[in-house]
Amino acid sequence: MAIEREIRFRVTRGDAPPGGRAVVQGYLWRRLATLRIRLTEGREARLTVKTRRGDGRNEWEWSVPAWLGRALLALPLPRVEKTRLQAGRLEIDRLSWPEPIVLCELELGPGEGPDLRDAAARARWMEDHRPDWVEVWEDVTDDPAYTNARLARRKP
């Protein structure tokens, strides 16, 4: 089990760099735990379980055959379709479904960064690590409306 600690922000002005891999995520279960299947272009599928914890999330992840990922994603599941680009430690997601949004995540290592429960400390940290192409951004680390699981349930 890994502990996921990340700062997430939505880019409200700025052009994300081109490139990346196509990703489709389907959500099989979303209650106290989230169960998702992810298929990334050129890779095997990943089955992931996430649960909340105070300063991050618990995460368990397993590789599954791509054919199983495609079969599960053929079901009428809530889904997110995006292009993900890795730029250093920053993951840049350009969502195409359910709506065009650019979200960025900065994964933090153990003991690194601010207390994620402190919005002002997160803002200072992100400003120090903001890429040049991001003109205006909004911290969505605490906003459940911008989790992929919640976005998957939006209607375009």
Side-chain angles (χ1 to χ4, degrees), residues 20 57 70 110 140 154:
R57 294 183 286 189
R70 286 190 298 275
V140 295
R154 285 190 186 178

Side-chain angles (χ1 to χ4, degrees), residues 6-156:
E6 64 189 15
I7 296 174
R8 302 182 78 227
F9 65 97
R10 181 174 70 100
V11 177
T12 56
R13 192 168 68 228
D15 294 322
R21 292 177 184 262
V23 177
V24 179
Q25 294 177 184
Y27 291 84
L28 301 154
W29 179 259
R30 195 181 137 271
R31 296 279 187 265
L32 295 176
T34 299
L35 175 63
R36 102 174 158 218
I37 185 71
R38 173 187 282 170
L39 189 58
T40 301
E41 175 184 12
R43 297 192 177 157
E44 60 190 0
R46 307 290 291 176
L47 188 65
T48 306
V49 174
K50 293 185 180 188
T51 62
R52 297 286 306 150
R53 59 175 281 149
D55 189 25
R57 294 183 286 189
N58 295 315
E59 181 178 84
W60 297 268
E61 193 168 63
W62 302 272
S63 295
V64 297
W67 67 263
L68 179 56
R70 286 190 298 275
L72 291 170
L73 288 166
L75 298 171
L77 300 173
R79 68 192 303 126
V80 168
E81 296 176 12
K82 60 189 176 182
T83 301
R84 172 167 281 177
L85 176 65
Q86 190 79 35
R89 294 177 47 207
L90 191 67
E91 293 176 342
I92 304 163
D93 289 341
R94 294 185 316 273
L95 278 74
S96 56
W97 175 265
E99 60 187 88
I101 298 173
V102 176
L103 293 172
C104 297
E105 299 176 356
L106 179 62
E107 297 280 339
L108 301 173
E112 178 187 21
D115 181 337
L116 295 182
R117 295 167 286 197
D118 183 341
R122 282 195 318 259
R124 287 188 302 275
W125 181 266
M126 266 322 303
E127 197 54 40
D128 289 343
H129 295 84
R130 180 175 54 87
D132 292 339
W133 61 268
V134 176
E135 297 173 39
V136 180
W137 59 274
E138 170 188 9
D139 182 354
V140 295
T141 305
D142 288 335
D143 189 343
Y146 288 97
T147 63
N148 283 292
R150 184 74 59 87
L151 288 167
R153 297 189 184 294
R154 285 190 186 178
K155 302 292 182 216

